Amino acid sequence: KVLIDVPRSDLAEELAQSQTKIQVLQDTLQQVLDRREEERQSRQLLELYLEALKNEGSILRKVAEPETVPRKEMDVVDAGTSSTGPSAKTALSDQILAALKEKPAPELCLDSQDLELVLKEDTQALASALRCNKQKAEALQQACDQELSKRLQQVQTLHSLRSTSKGKKTLP
């Protein structure tokens, strides 16, 4: 926030960079701050939603139970075993599966831990749990992998900026 609020000319002089590069830097930092705020608000909204789901647990169980039986039957017919369905159910929570089914870009709605869980999940089990083909499940896992990589890169960039900023403060 401080780097965004500093006048462009002062920051350019301090970092020995052109004002256009500083403008790009400040714009990027503002985008990161905006995204963090959106993520914070999304997390709060999700927590409220999960709290409401817990309070309405019986409704959630009624919705989840009818899905379980057809999935097991489908696994027995398609894969010859019913072990695929339960593994998908135990590894990924109902909330993660709901986000993966309902959202147009679910990788943006899930936190990093949930993204990691989706990546670790067997593709066939994920496809079975989502009732989609294996290619769609692979594409979803790939999108989650890209989002997780992007988040890691953002964190590394922020750490780099923070360490650079700390180094500049001690010099004068």
Side-chain angles (χ1 to χ4, degrees), residues 85-139:
S87 72
K89 186 138 180 80
T90 56
L92 299 175
S93 70
D94 291 333
Q95 288 82 10
I96 295 172
L97 289 173
L100 292 173
K101 286 180 188 177
E102 298 167 9
K103 302 292 181 179
E107 67 275 7
L108 301 177
C109 303
L110 298 173
D111 66 23
S112 297
Q113 288 179 325
D114 292 343
L115 290 175
E116 288 176 356
L117 288 174
V118 172
L119 288 174
K120 289 178 185 175
E121 188 61 53
D122 177 63
T123 307
Q124 187 60 43
L126 183 62
S128 175
L130 296 175
R131 297 183 179 175
C132 67
N133 60 30
K134 190 173 180 179
Q135 290 78 17
K136 185 175 179 180
E138 286 173 348

Side-chain angles (χ1 to χ4, degrees), residues 24-163:
V24 170
L25 173 67
Q26 286 180 326
D27 290 346
T28 303
L29 291 172
Q30 184 62 52
Q31 289 172 356
V32 169
L33 286 176
D34 292 344
R35 179 165 176 167
R36 278 186 175 179
E37 179 61 21
E38 288 174 10
E39 289 173 351
R40 185 190 64 75
Q41 289 175 357
S42 295
R43 244 182 258 117
Q44 284 180 332
L45 187 59
L46 183 59
E47 288 172 3
L48 289 173
Y49 178 72
L50 293 175
E51 185 75 22
L53 282 178
K54 286 179 185 176
N55 293 338
E56 300 290 328
S58 62
I59 294 172
L60 180 63
R61 281 190 292 275
K62 288 178 185 176
V63 170
E65 286 175 11
E67 291 178 6
T68 307
V69 175
R71 185 182 315 136
K72 285 182 182 176
E73 290 172 1
M74 182 179 66
D75 289 343
V76 171
V77 172
D78 293 345
T81 178
S82 63
S83 64
T84 309
S87 72
K89 186 138 180 80
T90 56
L92 299 175
S93 70
D94 291 333
Q95 288 82 10
I96 295 172
L97 289 173
L100 292 173
K101 286 180 188 177
E102 298 167 9
K103 302 292 181 179
E107 67 275 7
L108 301 177
C109 303
L110 298 173
D111 66 23
S112 297
Q113 288 179 325
D114 292 343
L115 290 175
E116 288 176 356
L117 288 174
V118 172
L119 288 174
K120 289 178 185 175
E121 188 61 53
D122 177 63
T123 307
Q124 187 60 43
L126 183 62
S128 175
L130 296 175
R131 297 183 179 175
C132 67
N133 60 30
K134 190 173 180 179
Q135 290 78 17
K136 185 175 179 180
E138 286 173 348
L140 184 62
Q141 284 181 316
Q142 198 170 36
C144 290
D145 187 34
Q146 289 172 352
E147 178 63 22
L148 197 58
S149 297
K150 189 168 115 180
R151 290 180 188 180
L152 178 61
Q153 184 179 11
Q154 287 176 340
V155 169
Q156 290 171 341
T157 302
L158 287 173
H159 285 300
S160 175
L161 285 171
R162 191 172 293 142
S163 65

